[in-house]
Amino acid sequence: MAVENGRSSAVSGGGGDGGDIYHLPEGCIANVLSLTSPRDASRLSVIGTVFRSAAESDAVWDRFLPPDYRDIISRSSDGPESINVGSKKELYLYLCDHPFFIDGGTKSFSLEKRSGKKCYMLAARSLAIIWADTPRYWRWIPLPESRFSEVAELLDVCWFDITGKINTSMLSPDTNYAAYFVFTTKSRTYGFDHQSAEGAVGISGHDRKPQTIFLDPEAARRHMYQIVPRRLGLLNQMADILRGGVNPPPSENNTQARYPQQRSDGWIEVELGEFFVKRGQDVELEMSLTEVKEGNWKSGLVVEGIEIRPKEG
């Protein structure tokens, strides 16, 4: 018990000679803290004055910033001078809380606050959307709630095909990333209620494992609770009658399907898939969302972009 009390005194800075750790130079403590994580450094800063000073130092937070953060900031669409902060910790927190545009406004960049890993969102304009420049099928509109200057509104297509690409060298190494399709729906949306789409993430030119994606929030709710609506079409209606009107159990793909989730910024997102970025890897990562099999007409989605961020767990 005496040993435990001694350790407690050492950490708390209580009396006796137990506070040896406080005799370490601040630079040494800062070096140790820089080997932890942003969250851990913030937690350890409450131990005492020396730890607080070390945890606030530029030496610590410079290690938490991406090695190429200066190059990324130099690509800011508003100019690097638009990001005007004092310390490296302030810069880190700014990049977490204020996504900024790069590459002519076609992408936004930010950091994940928990880990300092890089996050990107590819604007709808930077995606390959089939028929996107045909006013009959899609139109480009400004929305005040979007971070980008314009978004893509789906008017009417039977061939729904959206693809985005990013080089893995732009992402944080040794990190498991997921890609999320970010969208919202209009009051009149159709074509996605009884039909799933297919999402995939992987290296361009290689086979990618498809994911079953539901884009209609109400349809997603039905599938999650295994409430399968009667399918449309004469042949399908006849098949239902022959089965006695009993809906079949969800397929294995449906039980592993991805469903839309509400985001804190008011938009909706659905995961397309995930990909582990290896250190030193320099390949093109491709993310896609398609529905081209059934041929039914679809309308009412508003596309903001595809977000690539570290996946927790």
Side-chain angles (χ1 to χ4, degrees):
M1 192 66 179
V3 174
E4 292 179 358
N5 289 337
R7 288 176 179 171
S8 177
S9 297
V11 173
S12 64
D17 296 327
D20 290 345
I21 192 169
Y22 293 99
H23 296 163
L24 292 173
E26 182 181 312
C28 182
I29 295 176
N31 187 57
V32 172
L33 292 178
S34 71
L35 300 176
T36 62
S37 69
R39 183 168 58 179
D40 289 339
S42 297
R43 288 174 173 174
L44 291 169
S45 68
V46 303
I47 290 179
T49 304
V50 177
F51 271 83
R52 186 179 304 113
S53 178
E56 297 284 332
S57 69
D58 281 352
V60 170
W61 291 91
D62 189 65
R63 291 283 293 270
F64 295 151
L65 290 164
D68 58 345
Y69 76 89
R70 291 183 179 86
D71 175 65
I72 296 172
I73 291 175
S74 71
R75 291 154 54 194
S76 169
S77 300
D78 297 325
E81 63 279 357
S82 63
I83 303 176
N84 185 20
V85 294
S87 68
K88 293 293 178 65
K89 181 179 180 180
E90 290 174 343
L91 176 60
Y92 179 93
L93 295 176
Y94 182 91
L95 296 180
C96 292
D97 297 331
H98 300 84
F100 66 93
F101 301 132
I102 61 172
D103 300 343
T106 59
K107 304 180 186 72
S108 72
F109 172 83
S110 63
L111 296 179
E112 184 194 45
K113 185 172 290 186
R114 178 179 59 89
S115 65
K117 304 285 189 179
K118 301 176 186 176
C119 306
Y120 291 90
M121 184 182 288
L122 310 182
R125 265 297 183 191
S126 69
L127 306 177
I129 304 177
I130 300 299
W131 304 113
D133 293 323
T134 304
R136 174 184 171 185
Y137 302 124
W138 291 85
R139 69 172 179 171
W140 295 92
I141 59 172
L143 273 187
E145 55 266 37
S146 174
R147 68 179 67 183
F148 297 109
S149 60
E150 59 182 355
V151 295
E153 181 184 357
L154 172 58
L155 299 179
D156 216 15
V157 297
C158 59
W159 190 279
F160 182 78
D161 191 325
I162 298 177
T163 301
K165 296 180 180 180
I166 189 171
N167 196 286
T168 55
S169 63
M170 296 175 61
L171 305 174
S172 298
D174 299 327
T175 303
N176 192 44
Y177 275 91
Y180 299 85
F181 180 66
V182 181
F183 68 104
T184 190
T185 57
K186 304 288 283 187
S187 57
R188 185 172 180 267
T189 301
Y190 60 81
F192 297 102
D193 46 354
H194 303 320
Q195 178 60 46
S196 64
E198 186 176 280
V201 175
I203 300 174
S204 295
H206 291 70
D207 291 337
R208 295 174 294 141
K209 182 181 179 181
Q211 303 280 351
T212 300
I213 306 291
F214 288 98
L215 294 171
D216 183 274
E218 179 60 25
R221 186 193 68 82
R222 290 196 300 266
H223 279 271
M224 281 191 288
Y225 292 99
Q226 300 186 6
I227 306 171
V228 184
R230 184 181 297 276
R231 295 178 181 177
L232 303 179
L234 178 61
L235 292 178
N236 284 328
Q237 289 182 17
M238 292 174 63
D240 280 348
I241 293 172
L242 292 174
R243 287 194 296 265
V246 178
N247 290 314
S251 67
E252 182 180 350
N253 285 338
N254 281 352
T255 61
Q256 299 176 354
R258 308 289 186 179
Y259 301 101
Q261 304 288 333
Q262 193 71 42
R263 291 165 54 99
S264 60
D265 60 6
W267 290 81
I268 303 170
E269 69 177 21
V270 62
E271 183 185 327
L272 302 179
E274 57 188 86
F275 183 83
F276 186 81
V277 178
K278 300 176 183 177
R279 184 169 296 276
Q281 192 173 36
D282 186 2
V283 295
E284 189 174 58
L285 187 64
E286 182 173 313
M287 305 142 286
S288 63
L289 179 64
T290 61
E291 202 299 290
V292 298
K293 295 178 180 178
E294 295 299 319
N296 58 308
W297 290 89
K298 309 163 190 68
S299 179
L301 293 188
V302 178
V303 180
E304 185 176 40
I306 294 178
E307 186 172 54
I308 305 100
R309 67 175 189 260
K311 183 173 182 179
E312 294 185 15

